[in-house]
Amino acid sequence: MLTAAIALVFIPSCKSQYELLLNGNDVDAKYKAAFEYFNLKKYSKSTALFESLSMLTEGTDRDDTVRYYCGLSNYMQKDYYTAETHFERFTEVYPRSPFASDARFLRIDCLYRNTLRYELDQSPTYAALNAMNEYMREEPDNAHAQECRDMMADLNDRLDRKAYEGAKLYYKMEDYLASRVALRNVLKDDADNIYREDILYYIAMSSFKYAELSVPSKQKERYLVFLDDYLNFMGEYPESKYVSSLENPYEKAKKYLEKRGL
């Protein structure tokens, strides 16, 4: 009973002490407590203390440390949006701080973590890639270069998939002319799209199905287009997993054209 009573007294006492620190103007005590909470991984409390401190340390030699750890506390809480804002502001105000290089990378990491799945809006992806490219130009030999390259590869792959899946949607909707046009435009915009093999396959299948469903007077020219697409695909990917799927369309088109002396 006595132990429980002591605990009940102690808990509000600790809370009161924290609130007094948070609302007070004792910079040294608040500074010390902020790091103690940070080291104890009590990031919500360290965040509040560092934010409160930033209004008291502005213009002092502690200011860059306070601002950096304010961003880092948000980062450790996985509040990447707020952390990114802090780190961006930090690098603008303190470009020569000992923390500046880490702040620049952590800002990029926050931007990366705030990106969305390929099906969703990719504006955050473009923002992250722009920041990464700028960072790599300014600090090509930075300690986080490989991490940046990995993040950039992932984001570019995401953009490739969005473009590919968006164009393939026409194929799923059985709008084969629009499908072929959209898929060709994907490669026109980015010939090195990582889904190039799939795209060329669906281009060929789109042209075949479009020819197959066409009125007789249009089929000859459209089967010829399919043959071009088929040969383009086979020229690039003769060992592709799609080869067997294209055999039957190819035979049908070839027989059709042979009957007409082509």
Side-chain angles (χ1 to χ4, degrees), residues 146-189:
Q146 188 56 52
E147 291 172 81
C148 283
R149 284 191 285 269
D150 291 342
M151 287 190 285
M152 291 170 75
D154 177 56
L155 295 180
N156 280 312
D157 289 356
R158 201 176 304 177
L159 294 175
D160 281 358
R161 185 172 182 185
K162 185 174 182 68
Y164 162 58
E165 295 288 356
K168 194 174 76 170
L169 186 61
Y170 290 106
Y171 185 87
K172 293 178 179 177
M173 295 167 61
E174 300 182 359
D175 187 346
Y176 299 118
L177 176 60
S179 171
R180 184 175 186 273
V181 171
L183 289 162
R184 283 169 60 86
N185 283 338
V186 171
L187 293 183
K188 183 179 179 181
D189 292 338

Side-chain angles (χ1 to χ4, degrees), residues 30-55:
K30 190 178 290 193
Y31 188 84
K32 179 182 178 184
F35 277 104
E36 287 175 351
Y37 281 120
F38 182 88
N39 292 331
L40 289 170
K41 300 182 180 180
K42 295 183 178 181
Y43 300 119
S44 62
K45 289 187 174 182
S46 68
T47 297
L49 286 168
F50 282 125
E51 285 179 349
S52 177
L53 269 169
S54 66
M55 294 182 285

Side-chain angles (χ1 to χ4, degrees), residues 80-124:
Y80 300 119
Y81 180 83
T82 304
E84 188 272 325
T85 302
H86 278 294
F87 289 134
E88 181 181 30
R89 179 62 179 156
F90 179 90
T91 56
E92 291 172 354
V93 176
Y94 292 107
R96 293 180 178 81
S97 167
F99 302 112
S101 182
D102 285 340
R104 277 191 285 271
F105 172 73
L106 287 169
R107 183 202 167 216
I108 284 170
D109 190 51
C110 289
L111 288 168
Y112 173 73
R113 291 173 186 273
N114 282 330
T115 56
L116 306 173
R117 301 192 314 270
Y118 80 89
E119 309 99 299
L120 303 176
D121 178 33
Q122 292 303 299
S123 297

Side-chain angles (χ1 to χ4, degrees), residues 11 15 19 54 58 97 109 151 157 186 193 201 239:
I11 290 171
K15 182 179 179 183
E19 288 181 346
S54 66
E58 188 172 1
S97 167
D109 190 51
M151 287 190 285
D157 289 356
V186 171
N193 188 295
Y201 166 73
E239 305 297 327

Side-chain angles (χ1 to χ4, degrees), residues 171 175-181 183-184 199-214 218-233 246 249-250 253:
Y171 185 87
D175 187 346
Y176 299 118
L177 176 60
S179 171
R180 184 175 186 273
V181 171
L183 289 162
R184 283 169 60 86
I199 291 168
L200 288 174
Y201 166 73
Y202 281 105
I203 286 173
M205 287 302 298
S206 294
S207 58
F208 171 75
K209 289 180 180 291
Y210 185 56
E212 191 175 42
L213 296 171
S214 295
K218 297 288 186 179
Q219 283 187 311
K220 182 179 75 172
E221 63 182 273
R222 291 172 183 172
Y223 275 125
L224 287 170
V225 170
F226 162 69
L227 285 182
D228 283 342
D229 291 340
Y230 169 82
L231 292 172
N232 284 338
F233 178 85
L246 286 169
Y250 172 69

